[in-house]
Amino acid sequence: MPEKAMEKARVAVLISGRGSNMAALLYAAKAESCPYEIVLVAANDPDAPGLSLARAEGIATFGLSHKGMKRAEFDAIIDTEVRKAGADYIALAGYMRLLSPEFVAKWEGRMLNIHPSLLPKYKGLHTHERAIEAGDSHGGCSVHIVTAELDDGPVLGQTKVAILPDDTADALAARVLIAEHQLYSRVLADYVRHGISHLQS
Ligand code: GRF
């Protein structure tokens, strides 16, 4: 008997610019064994380079500038688009917008983010500069569940990246990005398979 095709989790990815993490999620999803598929890539900038990349891959996209709109009003539009696409999960990937509490509440437990630091260290911006300035031995990246507080939800997975003696923030960021691309698809795949039971301790 032919094997029944695996039912894949449907993921919408929100980006603001380059979209390299989105691309990593998308390329990983091409494997037959990947338990998720990307059903929408949305951006708060219609010119985000990541949107053209997704379009070229045949993925539905949505781009709208948030400028001049109230946060909750903009988020409601994104929510409608994500639901229209039939997404079960949202992956934030370089989405540079704070989310309204209403939006976060609607997607509680079904929205992940990638952050370029070893959380709980260095929430917010300039994470690599801060890690180097502090004399840390390692930088890195974390995938976490999105909660109402910025970069604060339960951490699902992390990759440590050694800081070199002469590292600059840019050089470290480039190496951490390689780690991000691997970590995000692995953690997202685990999460849609097993949920929160796979939280790291
Ligand atoms: C990544 O470093 C991500 O961790 C951070 O913003 C950057 C986005 O890069 N939140 P890209 O758009 O995924 O290439």
Side-chain angles (χ1 to χ4, degrees), residues 14-24 50 92-96 113-117 124-125 127-128 140-142 151 173 176-177 180-181 184:
L14 304 190
I15 64 169
S16 291
R18 171 177 67 174
S20 73
N21 275 287
M22 175 277 293
L92 305 180
Y95 190 60
M96 302 302 282
N113 181 42
I114 185 145
H115 182 73
S117 80
L125 297 175
T127 55
H128 308 298
C141 51
S142 309
D151 302 329
V176 169
L177 195 62
E180 290 183 42
H181 293 165
Y184 209 175

Side-chain angles (χ1 to χ4, degrees), residues 105-127:
K106 276 186 190 157
W107 288 94
E108 204 183 318
R110 289 184 299 138
M111 179 158 59
L112 306 188
N113 181 42
I114 185 145
H115 182 73
S117 80
L118 297 172
L119 291 172
K121 278 187 162 181
Y122 315 128
K123 297 173 181 178
L125 297 175
H126 309 300
T127 55

